């Protein structure tokens, strides 16, 4: 239906209508038909767009296809219509409710009822091969971002305090994990989140459960588990980009336990550890209690044997030490050292006595030389020291007859008066 504005002659009142919606008010509203025409004109300017969804209704009447398209993840749906020139081709493609499709649509407003529908120009079913090709392209993109690098993968804890499990509601995968983990480690504790593991809502619910478990400090490792199934039921939900990025952002180690060996979902690539099946994940999560007890017993046995061997070696060494002469007759060493000490003492005494004797001889000789050279010795030999006016007289010419002198002899001194002065003949002759 094409909207045509009434002429000014037919609609005199509308001449004063506001030009735009923002100019309308309670006093100057638009008529509903005018608003519908404006809305139709705006929608008509939207270009045809490719969309993806699920075909939930497909009715072919009088050559026209009436359909309902629903979003793959959200509760959002649109009515769609394909006119005769397109509808015949859609029927030939075998489209039926439940098919995943991509369609080239253009929105259209039916003014009388205000109903918005999507006029379909082209529609194609999305085959499994197309989905896998899309997943492969996304895999290359995420790998280029480094989400699959081994360096960013976190190691699993040796013995987790609590194991987080994300699996289907009352699923066999959950039962297998609980049974096998408990069989290996009876004290294991679990935090279980039951969500949808297939269908459009599966990636959203799994990512939300992962975020909840990642925020719990008691959970040391998280397992995302699902049993086997069709390719589109297993690979597609667990290759969703939002789920992959949620796993990459998790701080807790994540184990992928998706039971599909033929084609691996992207969850296997981004997870820190991959288990081939939910049952196989038990071997990765906890050690075998029986094996660990056997290992402890073996370790205790090796430790006891090692201690016994060490004690035997130390006893042998101690016995060999005790048999040595130094311990068998310890006084012998003291006697030898005592004899050495006595000999050293004798040599020290002899050396000291010899040194003292030599020193005494030197003192006596020195004393004799000093005594022989002393003035007293000279006086003892009959010489005298004559002083005149407190000066020693060395020359007779220093005195004159009648001079008073002081004479020192070997024993005492006396005063005298010079009566005659005789000079030395040799000196007089030389002068």
């Amino acid at each position: 239906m094409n909207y045509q504005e009434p002429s000014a002659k037919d609609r005199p009142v509308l001449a004063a209508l506001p030009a735009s919606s923002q100019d309308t008010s309670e006093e100057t509203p638009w008529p509903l038909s005018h608003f519908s025409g404006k809305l139709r004109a705006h929608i008509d300017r939207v270009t045809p767009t490719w969309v993806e969804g699920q075909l939930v209704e497909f009715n072919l009447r009088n050559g026209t296809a009436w359909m309902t398209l629903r979003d793959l993840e959200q509760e959002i749906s649109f009515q769609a219509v394909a006119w005769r020139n397109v509808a015949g081709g859609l029927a030939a493609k075998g489209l039926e409710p439940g098919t995943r499709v991509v369609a080239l649509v253009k929105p259209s407003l039916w003014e009388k009822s205000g109903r918005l529908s999507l006029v379909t120009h082209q529609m194609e079913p999305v085959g499994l091969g197309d989905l896998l090709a899309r997943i492969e392209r996304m895999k290359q993109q995420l790998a280029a971002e480094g989400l699959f690098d081994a360096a960013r993968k976190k190691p699993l804890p040796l013995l987790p305090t609590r194991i987080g499990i994300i699996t289907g509601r009352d699923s066999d995968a959950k039962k297998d994990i609980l049974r096998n983990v408990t069989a290996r480690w009876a004290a294991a504790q679990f935090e279980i989140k039951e969500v949808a593991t297939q269908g459009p809502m599966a990636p959203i619910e799994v990512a939300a459960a992962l975020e909840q478990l990642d925020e719990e400090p008691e959970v040391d490792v998280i397992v995302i588990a699902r049993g086997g199934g069709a390719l589109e039921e297993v690979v597609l939900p667990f290759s969703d980009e939002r789920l992959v990025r949620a796993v990459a952002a998790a701080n807790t180690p994540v184990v992928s336990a998706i039971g599909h060996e033929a084609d691996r979902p992207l969850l296997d690539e981004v997870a820190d550890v991959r288990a081939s099946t939910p049952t196989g994940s038990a071997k990765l999560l906890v050690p075998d209690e029986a094996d660990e007890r056997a290992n402890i017993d073996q370790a205790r046995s090796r430790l006891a044997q090692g201690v016994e061997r060490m004690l035997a070696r130390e006893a042998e060494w101690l016995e060999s030490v005790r048999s040595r002469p130094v311990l068998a007759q310890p006084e012998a060493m003291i006697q030898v050292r005592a004899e050495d000490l006595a000999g050293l003492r004798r040599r020290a005494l002899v050396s000291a006595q010899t040194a003292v004797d030599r020193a005494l001889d030197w003192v006596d000789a020195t004393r004799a030389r000093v005594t022989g050279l002393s003035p007293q010795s000279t006086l003892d030999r009959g010489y005298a020291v004559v002083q005149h006016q407190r000066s020693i007289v060395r020359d007779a010419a220093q005195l004159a007859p009648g001079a008073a002198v002081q004479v020192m002899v070997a024993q005492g001194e006396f005063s005298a008066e010079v009566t005659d002065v005789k000079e030395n003949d040799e000196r007089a002759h030389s002068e």
Side-chain angles (χ1 to χ4, degrees):
M1 176 179 180
N2 295 326
Y3 173 78
Q4 296 180 353
E5 291 282 350
S7 64
K9 180 177 68 174
D10 298 334
R11 185 180 45 79
V13 179
L14 293 181
L17 291 177
S20 62
S21 61
Q22 63 184 3
D23 296 328
T24 61
S25 66
E26 184 178 356
E27 290 77 17
T28 57
W30 276 354
L32 189 60
S33 60
H34 184 74
F35 172 72
S36 176
K38 290 287 188 180
L39 186 59
R40 169 70 181 270
H42 180 74
I43 292 175
D44 286 344
R45 289 196 295 269
V46 178
T47 59
T49 306
W50 282 100
V51 298
E52 183 178 13
Q54 185 180 25
L55 189 64
V56 295
E57 287 184 350
F58 184 83
N59 298 315
L60 191 62
R61 298 194 302 268
N62 299 325
T64 301
W66 304 94
M67 302 168 289
T68 301
L69 288 176
R70 186 172 63 188
D71 185 77
L72 296 174
E73 298 175 356
Q74 306 293 332
E75 291 296 331
I76 298 175
S77 61
F78 278 92
Q79 299 297 320
V81 60
W83 305 123
R84 185 183 299 272
N85 60 336
V86 177
L90 299 183
K93 293 177 181 178
L95 295 177
E96 58 183 15
T99 305
R100 186 170 181 169
V101 298
V102 291
L104 181 63
V105 299
K106 179 177 174 59
S108 177
L109 179 68
W110 182 257
E111 293 182 65
K112 288 186 178 181
S113 62
R115 185 179 64 187
L116 181 68
S117 63
L118 303 178
V119 177
T120 304
H121 298 287
Q122 187 177 348
M123 181 178 288
E124 300 291 340
V126 179
L128 187 58
D130 296 332
L131 294 175
L132 293 178
R134 189 181 304 176
I135 291 175
E136 183 61 29
R137 290 193 297 271
M138 184 170 59
K139 177 181 179 180
Q140 295 176 2
Q141 175 187 349
L142 297 177
E145 296 180 18
L147 267 64
F148 305 154
D149 291 350
R152 57 157 297 279
K153 295 185 182 297
K154 297 175 284 294
L156 299 184
L158 178 62
L159 187 60
T161 302
R162 186 178 293 270
I163 301 171
I165 300 177
I166 302 174
T167 185
R169 296 175 178 85
D170 197 26
S171 64
D172 292 337
K174 180 188 74 172
K175 297 174 184 177
D176 288 344
I177 293 176
L178 295 179
R179 181 174 60 254
N180 287 278
V181 170
T182 306
R184 292 175 61 86
W185 194 264
Q189 300 180 11
F190 304 93
E191 185 71 24
I192 302 174
K193 299 291 184 181
E194 295 184 341
V195 297
T197 55
Q198 69 181 49
M201 298 303 295
I204 299 175
E205 294 188 16
V206 172
L210 174 65
E211 183 178 356
Q212 294 175 6
L213 291 175
D214 191 38
E215 292 176 353
E216 297 187 15
E218 298 84 4
V219 176
D220 294 330
V221 62
I222 300 172
V223 184
I224 301 177
R226 190 195 190 284
L231 178 63
E232 59 272 16
E233 295 177 351
V234 178
V235 175
L236 299 185
F238 295 99
S239 294
D240 187 87
E241 182 177 359
R242 288 166 299 182
L243 176 58
V244 172
R245 293 190 181 277
V247 173
N251 296 318
T252 308
V254 177
V255 176
S256 172
I258 308 301
H260 198 277
E261 288 292 341
D263 295 279
R264 294 173 54 177
L266 296 186
L267 176 63
D268 285 355
E269 307 296 335
V270 73
D272 298 294
V273 177
R274 173 185 178 267
S276 57
T277 61
T279 302
S281 65
K283 297 180 180 179
L284 303 174
L285 295 174
V286 293
D288 192 321
E289 185 175 351
D291 292 343
E292 294 303 315
R293 290 186 180 278
N295 292 336
I296 291 175
D297 291 340
Q298 293 177 4
R300 286 177 174 173
S301 177
R302 289 194 298 267
L303 181 61
Q305 294 175 2
V307 171
E308 290 176 357
R309 287 194 297 268
M310 182 185 69
L311 292 177
R313 287 195 303 268
E314 295 301 319
E316 293 177 359
W317 176 82
L318 183 60
E319 185 63 27
S320 65
V321 170
R322 293 176 59 186
S323 63
R324 294 175 185 174
V326 69
L327 290 180
Q329 295 179 342
E331 68 278 3
M333 181 179 65
I334 298 176
Q335 291 177 351
V336 171
R337 296 295 181 266
E339 294 174 358
D340 293 342
L341 182 60
L344 291 173
R345 181 179 297 167
R346 287 193 299 270
R347 288 196 293 273
L349 291 175
V350 171
S351 298
Q353 188 62 45
T354 302
V356 170
D357 293 342
R358 291 177 180 175
L360 291 176
D361 293 343
W362 178 84
V363 170
D364 293 341
T366 302
R367 180 183 292 116
R369 288 195 301 272
V370 171
T371 301
L373 297 174
S374 66
Q376 184 65 40
S377 177
T378 303
L379 294 176
D380 291 340
R381 293 198 300 269
Y383 292 93
V385 178
V386 179
Q387 293 180 332
H388 175 63
Q389 295 179 353
R390 296 184 179 279
S391 298
I392 297 175
V393 179
R394 291 183 172 81
D395 190 349
Q398 294 177 336
L399 300 176
V405 293
Q406 192 74 18
V407 181
M408 180 184 297
V409 293
Q411 299 295 330
E413 60 183 35
F414 59 90
S415 300
E417 181 180 344
V418 178
T419 59
D420 187 17
V421 176
K422 292 182 180 181
E423 297 184 10
N424 191 314
D425 291 341
E426 294 181 357
R427 177 180 177 187
H429 179 73
S430 64
E431 290 179 352

